[in-house]
Amino acid sequence: MADLLSTGVSGLLASQVGLSTVGNNISNVNTVGYSRQVTGFNARAPQFQGGYYVGQGADAVSVQRAYSQFLTQQVWSANSSQSRAAQYAGLTASVNNVVSGSTNLQTSLDSFFGAISDVANAPVDTASRQALIGQMSSLVSTFKSLSTQFQSLDAQTNQQISSAVDNINTLAKNIANLNAQIQKGYASGAEPSELLDQRDQAVSDLSKIVGVSVTQTSDHMYTVSVGNGLPLVNGTNSTKLATATNQYDSSRLEVVDTQGTVISGQLGSGSLGATFDFRTNVLDPARNQLGRSAIALTSAMNKQSAQGIDLNGDAGGNMFNIADPAVFNSTKNTGTGSVSAVVSDVSKLDSSDYILRFDGVKWSAATTAGVTVPMTGTGSATDPFVVGGMQITVAAGAAAGDSFQIQPTRNAASTISVAISDTNKIAASGPLAAGKASTNTGSGVLGGLTVTDTANPNFKTPVNIVFTSANTYSINGGPDQNYTSGDTITGNGWSLKLTGKPALNDTFTVKPAGSSSGDNGNALAMANVANVGVLDNGVTTVGKSYSQLVAQVGTAGASANTALSAQQSILDQATASQQSVAGVNLDEEAANLLKFQQAYSASAQVITTANSIFQSLLSAVQS
């Protein structure tokens, strides 16, 4: 009877463990990172009785996680990629919102050029001139507003980088502490399932921030590396990352290891890697492109303004002011040299940033992406280096290994300003005026007067074009020249088109325009800047350069959203596969609960039966 009783008790106790395990699974069905636990049973060693063995019951020998390291690591990898895609898409959308929001540069450009056309229609009208200055101020405000919003996004990336590094350090320390606890747990002879789940969840959280590589040692501890193999957790020890300012631009943060080495470009996937990729591949190009548009507008308008004269009779001055390219010294420089740069050829100005390096003998230039670029000149004030549409001057004192970063356009949009406030200083008139004598009897009609070279020494010399016949003319009494309707007559730095049939002695004049002139030649030319190629070797207009900015940001956003959809699908599949093994299925647990409940009841019945038989034997003996 004792054997039957102990057999029943063993089944009762084993079923009780099974019930407890199932109950724990059900209780943790909503616990993030929890792995379903399974009770393991073994039959007790049987007892030999003569020619046969009699079983002695069963024991619950283990409670272990239903777990697949392979599937879990797939989830971690998918986590990193999905988190990267989500971060990249979210940040790119914020840039899209800036360029497509209410502060639209194209609208401001259209209004500005429209105001110039209004001045061309009424060159001496004070109200039109005042409206133009107002539109200039509005355009400058738009440039500055867009630049400010981009700068805010740059500051936001700094905050996210700092927060991510703090979270990485916290999680790394947590994983190292869990390694120690897990090692102690196994030393006691059992699997510490809850601690293992907590560690896996910590690694999962870490994988969302940065790509991880995990290996398990023979003593059940994790070794965790991030990015391109940087050790982060080794047993019970963790490495602490930090942030530091960029060696050139102190306004932005980088991630450094314990030796202070910058590892920003080695962090791979995860939200932190996406933040750096966004800053390099989307935000910086957008800021540079916006600045390039501002420089192009300033250069083109100032150049054209200088071709005209204002209401005071003076040559046109600048319409806008803008800062020169920004130059940053490396914090690692040991010499005393300095570098300055100016934009010399807007048509060759691109949206790259450059690193200028000195090896002790010569200077070299490369983009921040590492592409070497050709550079002419010696770097002196009389023979500056020429690279990327800039002239770069180097002062003596640089030491071997010194370097400088040049940002030709990055912050240009934030520095643009209106250069004039006096309406009389708008150079609407061309420097020359074309006219015809009131005594003309022919049908000759003046066409457009175009200025081609204001530096011509005889540019302002008055010219009389006198027709010596219907088909010939002379300039200031010179030899006869043939004429056909529609011909272009060329003078000292100007050209003039005539149509129709002038008569004998008909006279046309070209002379300097006087003050308070009602001429609108230069205003028309300034309005036409909207249609003139300024950038990319004279191909791209100012307006088109902004359209390129909108297009490149839109393309980046569309690609980011496509990548996010793909990575979300991969993560969903990886999670489903992992949960099929480790997840709690309530239907399955309900069936197990019923199974162990019935086993428990049956074992109790065995005990009752053993007790009943024992009582019967006692009664028989006593009688």
Side-chain angles (χ1 to χ4, degrees), residues 506-550:
D506 279 1
T507 302
F508 299 88
T509 60
V510 177
K511 59 184 179 180
S515 61
S516 301
S517 170
D519 180 70
N520 66 353
N522 203 50
L524 290 172
M526 287 193 292
N528 192 51
V529 168
N531 305 312
V532 174
V534 180
L535 297 164
D536 303 322
N537 294 316
V539 173
T540 304
T541 65
V542 175
K544 187 176 179 181
S545 70
Y546 180 69
S547 298
Q548 290 174 342
L549 165 61
V550 175

Side-chain angles (χ1 to χ4, degrees), residues 3-5 7-9 600-612:
D3 289 341
L4 183 60
L5 181 63
T7 298
V9 170
Y600 188 92
S601 297
S603 295
Q605 188 63 43
V606 170
I607 294 172
T608 300
T609 301
N611 183 59
S612 177

Side-chain angles (χ1 to χ4, degrees), residues 310-531:
D310 60 23
L311 289 182
N312 299 323
D314 298 324
N318 286 348
M319 296 185 71
F320 299 97
N321 293 324
I322 201 163
D324 289 330
V327 180
F328 300 94
N329 299 357
S330 170
T331 55
K332 299 178 181 180
N333 287 359
T334 58
T336 59
S338 62
V339 171
S340 60
V342 296
V343 175
S344 56
D345 187 351
V346 174
S347 69
K348 291 182 171 57
L349 188 67
D350 57 26
S351 57
S352 297
D353 296 326
Y354 298 90
I355 302 295
L356 197 67
R357 300 185 187 278
F358 184 59
D359 64 4
V361 178
K362 62 180 180 179
W363 291 87
S364 62
T367 66
T368 49
V371 179
T372 301
V373 293
M375 185 169 64
T376 61
T378 62
S380 67
T382 56
D383 186 24
F385 292 128
V386 177
V387 58
M390 296 181 293
Q391 290 183 347
I392 302 171
T393 303
V394 178
D402 284 0
S403 63
F404 302 80
Q405 186 182 74
I406 304 173
Q407 297 177 356
T409 65
R410 176 76 55 82
N411 294 308
S414 67
T415 67
I416 189 172
S417 62
V418 178
I420 56 176
S421 57
D422 184 352
T423 58
N424 288 338
K425 291 187 177 295
I426 296 175
S429 173
L432 303 175
K436 65 179 182 178
S438 60
T439 57
N440 285 0
T441 59
S443 62
V445 178
L446 283 169
L449 174 64
T450 302
V451 174
T452 57
D453 182 14
T454 57
N456 190 295
N458 297 317
F459 178 71
K460 292 186 176 181
T461 301
V463 169
N464 289 318
I465 303 170
V466 180
F467 275 81
T468 54
S469 72
N471 300 314
T472 58
Y473 65 89
S474 66
I475 297 178
N476 285 349
D480 284 352
Q481 300 183 48
N482 294 327
Y483 167 77
T484 302
S485 179
D487 275 358
T488 296
I489 298 174
T490 301
N492 301 317
W494 53 265
S495 62
L496 175 69
K497 181 167 287 190
L498 277 176
T499 57
K501 295 182 179 181
L504 177 67
N505 294 323
D506 279 1
T507 302
F508 299 88
T509 60
V510 177
K511 59 184 179 180
S515 61
S516 301
S517 170
D519 180 70
N520 66 353
N522 203 50
L524 290 172
M526 287 193 292
N528 192 51
V529 168
N531 305 312

Side-chain angles (χ1 to χ4, degrees), residues 147-282:
S147 179
T148 297
Q149 292 180 71
F150 283 150
Q151 288 172 349
S152 295
L153 288 175
D154 197 25
Q156 179 182 332
T157 62
N158 280 340
Q159 293 171 357
Q160 292 178 337
I161 290 167
S162 180
S163 177
V165 169
D166 288 342
N167 289 336
I168 287 173
N169 290 335
T170 299
L171 288 167
K173 185 176 181 180
N174 189 23
I175 294 168
N177 290 337
L178 286 167
N179 271 344
Q181 296 177 53
I182 288 167
Q183 188 180 40
K184 291 179 181 179
Y186 274 109
S188 67
E191 179 183 87
S193 299
E194 281 73 14
L195 291 175
L196 293 170
D197 285 344
Q198 291 176 32
R199 186 176 64 180
D200 281 352
Q201 185 58 42
V203 173
S204 180
D205 292 340
L206 179 63
S207 72
K208 294 177 182 178
I209 304 173
V210 63
V212 297
S213 176
V214 180
T215 56
Q216 183 169 310
T217 62
S218 58
D219 53 358
H220 307 287
M221 290 195 288
Y222 277 173
T223 297
V224 182
S225 300
V226 297
N228 294 343
L230 175 70
L232 188 66
V233 178
N234 186 9
T236 59
N237 299 315
S238 63
T239 299
K240 191 172 184 179
L241 303 183
T243 58
T245 56
N246 182 275
Q247 67 168 307
Y248 299 107
D249 188 351
S250 61
S251 69
R252 51 180 44 187
L253 294 179
E254 305 289 350
V255 178
V256 296
D257 61 18
T258 53
Q259 283 75 44
T261 303
V262 175
I263 58 171
S264 302
Q266 305 174 28
L267 298 174
S269 55
S271 61
L272 182 55
T275 302
F276 282 110
D277 287 347
F278 160 77
R279 191 171 74 178
T280 300
N281 299 324
V282 178

